[in-house]
Amino acid sequence: MLDIRRQSAELRVGIVGSGFIGRVHARAVRQAGARLVGIAGVSVDRAVEGARSLGAEKAFESAEELIGSGLIDVLHVCTPNHLHAPIALKALDAGLAVVCEKPLATDAPTAALMAVHAQDTGAVAAVPFVYRFHPMIREARARLAGLGRVSLIQGGYLQDWLLRSTDDNWRIDPEQGGPGRTIGDIGSHWFDLAEFVTGDRITKVCAQTSVVVADRVTSGPVRTEDLATVQFTTASGALGSVAVSQVAPGRKNRLFLEISAASGSLAFDQENPEHLWLGGRTSSQALIRDPMTLSAAARPYSPLPAGHAQGFHDCFDAFVADTYATIGGEHREGLPTFDDGSRAAHLTDAALRSVKEGGWVAC
């Protein structure tokens, strides 16, 4: 189901940005069988180096030149956050399909405008909430539907890559990364996954944030949160809580989601993605990813036999494959669009307003 190489072979792709995530996008483009026509970067030298290292056909002096070249059908936006909106909007105006990294924009109103503009143009516009593409997440979603009313949603997303004062990144600067760094960067993934698996909407949040490393050696005083805790309620009446941190020693990329329902529970750990914990009153089990036994919803995202571990790259490849299939006129269930990107920006904004106002905020 996920092999669309014949379709996507005609797709011409451009990427703006050639850092870590740009390289991940480029790999997924190649895996889908599309042509990686061009790369644009922060400078001509970076674009030339990016085109060479990523195997693109051409280097472009700017995103504007790439968008206006007439040589591409799809643009992947892999820049710092503050550049997402202007580049993506120009690409939509030029009639291109767009894949834009999250957060879609550094503020909720702009993200909402982008979602409306994508709808108005009729373009395929996708956001890489790629954890949706773990087969065990699809399995969790399918199984949860039969477990009755959800009562509790809880978990966290913990990292340690900004633990030290010598650790630095453009995301720390609110002018580039936006006002909600940890919530917007990794909390957005967790919220998207919680709403995707449960099919339920968060309706109210109460958040706290903390700056643990007050000064960074190269960028100075820190103005964005290192960690946050968020309590919430959902439309169905479920309660929830999540902790997100980029200063949790030893945690590299631990996205954990546990959901309790009337007749059972389930839990997923992104650092152990081959398993799904299924909890019951009389017995519990760890379900191992196996395409021979998975549900119809999960099986297409499990191309490897059991025991052959799948991970982040596989999720990204599946996301891009589904995006390109959608561009080709097919329907792919669960493709995250600009509407989902706008939703994530809205939840980030609500959490930050909660911190500022010191109480519960409606979403």
Short mmCIF file of all heavy atoms in Angstrom, two decimals, residues 82-106:
data_model
loop_
_atom_site.label_atom_id
_atom_site.label_comp_id
_atom_site.label_asym_id
_atom_site.label_seq_id
_atom_site.Cartn_x
_atom_site.Cartn_y
_atom_site.Cartn_z
N HIS A 82 10.52 30.74 12.46
CA HIS A 82 9.98 32.04 12.07
C HIS A 82 9.90 32.22 10.56
O HIS A 82 9.21 33.13 10.07
CB HIS A 82 10.81 33.17 12.68
CG HIS A 82 12.20 33.30 12.12
ND1 HIS A 82 13.15 32.32 12.24
CD2 HIS A 82 12.80 34.31 11.44
CE1 HIS A 82 14.27 32.69 11.67
NE2 HIS A 82 14.09 33.90 11.16
N LEU A 83 10.55 31.34 9.81
CA LEU A 83 10.51 31.41 8.34
C LEU A 83 9.45 30.50 7.74
O LEU A 83 9.20 30.58 6.53
CB LEU A 83 11.89 31.05 7.78
CG LEU A 83 13.04 31.97 8.18
CD1 LEU A 83 14.36 31.42 7.66
CD2 LEU A 83 12.82 33.39 7.68
N HIS A 84 8.82 29.64 8.54
CA HIS A 84 7.85 28.69 8.00
C HIS A 84 6.72 29.39 7.26
O HIS A 84 6.41 29.05 6.12
CB HIS A 84 7.27 27.83 9.13
CG HIS A 84 8.23 26.85 9.70
ND1 HIS A 84 7.92 26.04 10.78
CD2 HIS A 84 9.50 26.54 9.36
CE1 HIS A 84 8.95 25.27 11.06
NE2 HIS A 84 9.93 25.57 10.22
N ALA A 85 6.08 30.34 7.93
CA ALA A 85 4.87 30.95 7.37
C ALA A 85 5.13 31.69 6.06
O ALA A 85 4.44 31.44 5.06
CB ALA A 85 4.22 31.87 8.40
N PRO A 86 6.10 32.62 6.01
CA PRO A 86 6.28 33.34 4.75
C PRO A 86 6.65 32.45 3.58
O PRO A 86 6.17 32.66 2.46
CB PRO A 86 7.40 34.35 5.07
CG PRO A 86 8.05 33.87 6.32
CD PRO A 86 6.98 33.15 7.07
N ILE A 87 7.47 31.43 3.82
CA ILE A 87 7.87 30.54 2.73
C ILE A 87 6.70 29.66 2.30
O ILE A 87 6.42 29.51 1.10
CB ILE A 87 9.08 29.68 3.15
CG1 ILE A 87 10.32 30.57 3.34
CG2 ILE A 87 9.37 28.61 2.11
CD1 ILE A 87 11.53 29.85 3.91
N ALA A 88 6.01 29.07 3.26
CA ALA A 88 4.89 28.18 2.93
C ALA A 88 3.78 28.93 2.20
O ALA A 88 3.19 28.41 1.25
CB ALA A 88 4.35 27.52 4.19
N LEU A 89 3.47 30.14 2.64
CA LEU A 89 2.41 30.92 1.99
C LEU A 89 2.79 31.28 0.55
O LEU A 89 1.94 31.23 -0.35
CB LEU A 89 2.12 32.18 2.81
CG LEU A 89 1.38 31.95 4.13
CD1 LEU A 89 1.37 33.21 4.97
CD2 LEU A 89 -0.04 31.45 3.89
N LYS A 90 4.05 31.62 0.32
CA LYS A 90 4.50 31.90 -1.05
C LYS A 90 4.40 30.66 -1.92
O LYS A 90 4.01 30.73 -3.10
CB LYS A 90 5.94 32.42 -1.04
CG LYS A 90 6.08 33.84 -0.55
CD LYS A 90 7.55 34.27 -0.49
CE LYS A 90 7.67 35.69 0.08
NZ LYS A 90 9.10 36.07 0.25
N ALA A 91 4.72 29.52 -1.36
CA ALA A 91 4.64 28.27 -2.12
C ALA A 91 3.19 27.93 -2.47
O ALA A 91 2.89 27.51 -3.59
CB ALA A 91 5.27 27.13 -1.32
N LEU A 92 2.28 28.13 -1.52
CA LEU A 92 0.86 27.89 -1.80
C LEU A 92 0.36 28.83 -2.88
O LEU A 92 -0.38 28.43 -3.78
CB LEU A 92 0.04 28.06 -0.52
CG LEU A 92 0.21 26.98 0.55
CD1 LEU A 92 -0.49 27.39 1.83
CD2 LEU A 92 -0.32 25.63 0.07
N ASP A 93 0.77 30.10 -2.81
CA ASP A 93 0.36 31.07 -3.83
C ASP A 93 0.89 30.69 -5.22
O ASP A 93 0.28 31.03 -6.23
CB ASP A 93 0.86 32.47 -3.46
CG ASP A 93 0.04 33.10 -2.34
OD1 ASP A 93 -1.11 32.68 -2.14
OD2 ASP A 93 0.56 34.01 -1.66
N ALA A 94 2.03 29.99 -5.24
CA ALA A 94 2.61 29.57 -6.51
C ALA A 94 2.01 28.27 -7.03
O ALA A 94 2.44 27.75 -8.07
CB ALA A 94 4.12 29.42 -6.35
N GLY A 95 1.02 27.72 -6.30
CA GLY A 95 0.36 26.51 -6.75
C GLY A 95 1.07 25.22 -6.38
O GLY A 95 0.79 24.17 -6.96
N LEU A 96 1.98 25.29 -5.41
CA LEU A 96 2.74 24.10 -5.02
C LEU A 96 2.06 23.37 -3.87
O LEU A 96 1.39 23.99 -3.04
CB LEU A 96 4.16 24.49 -4.59
CG LEU A 96 5.02 25.22 -5.62
CD1 LEU A 96 6.36 25.57 -5.01
CD2 LEU A 96 5.21 24.36 -6.87
N ALA A 97 2.24 22.07 -3.81
CA ALA A 97 1.95 21.33 -2.59
C ALA A 97 3.06 21.64 -1.60
O ALA A 97 4.20 21.92 -1.99
CB ALA A 97 1.89 19.83 -2.88
N VAL A 98 2.74 21.60 -0.29
CA VAL A 98 3.71 22.02 0.73
C VAL A 98 3.77 21.01 1.86
O VAL A 98 2.73 20.54 2.35
CB VAL A 98 3.35 23.41 1.30
CG1 VAL A 98 4.37 23.82 2.38
CG2 VAL A 98 3.28 24.45 0.21
N VAL A 99 4.99 20.68 2.25
CA VAL A 99 5.24 19.95 3.49
C VAL A 99 6.02 20.91 4.38
O VAL A 99 7.14 21.30 4.03
CB VAL A 99 6.04 18.66 3.25
CG1 VAL A 99 6.35 17.97 4.58
CG2 VAL A 99 5.30 17.72 2.32
N CYS A 100 5.42 21.32 5.50
CA CYS A 100 6.06 22.32 6.37
C CYS A 100 6.28 21.76 7.75
O CYS A 100 5.35 21.22 8.37
CB CYS A 100 5.19 23.58 6.44
SG CYS A 100 5.93 24.91 7.43
N GLU A 101 7.49 21.89 8.25
CA GLU A 101 7.81 21.43 9.58
C GLU A 101 6.97 22.15 10.63
O GLU A 101 6.48 23.26 10.41
CB GLU A 101 9.30 21.63 9.88
CG GLU A 101 10.17 20.46 9.48
CD GLU A 101 9.85 19.19 10.26
OE1 GLU A 101 9.42 19.28 11.43
OE2 GLU A 101 10.03 18.10 9.70
N LYS A 102 6.82 21.50 11.78
CA LYS A 102 6.12 22.15 12.89
C LYS A 102 7.15 22.86 13.78
O LYS A 102 8.35 22.53 13.72
CB LYS A 102 5.28 21.14 13.67
CG LYS A 102 6.03 19.90 14.16
CD LYS A 102 6.79 20.16 15.43
CE LYS A 102 8.06 19.33 15.48
NZ LYS A 102 9.04 19.90 16.40
N PRO A 103 6.70 23.86 14.56
CA PRO A 103 5.37 24.43 14.54
C PRO A 103 5.10 25.15 13.21
O PRO A 103 6.02 25.73 12.63
CB PRO A 103 5.37 25.41 15.71
CG PRO A 103 6.80 25.80 15.86
CD PRO A 103 7.58 24.57 15.50
N LEU A 104 3.87 25.07 12.77
CA LEU A 104 3.51 25.65 11.48
C LEU A 104 3.86 27.13 11.42
O LEU A 104 4.29 27.65 10.39
CB LEU A 104 2.01 25.44 11.25
CG LEU A 104 1.47 25.54 9.83
CD1 LEU A 104 2.23 24.63 8.89
CD2 LEU A 104 -0.02 25.21 9.83
N ALA A 105 3.67 27.82 12.54
CA ALA A 105 4.03 29.24 12.67
C ALA A 105 4.37 29.50 14.12
O ALA A 105 4.11 28.67 15.00
CB ALA A 105 2.88 30.13 12.21
N THR A 106 4.93 30.66 14.40
CA THR A 106 5.31 30.99 15.78
C THR A 106 4.16 31.59 16.57
O THR A 106 4.34 31.93 17.74
CB THR A 106 6.51 31.95 15.79
OG1 THR A 106 6.19 33.11 15.01
CG2 THR A 106 7.75 31.29 15.23
#
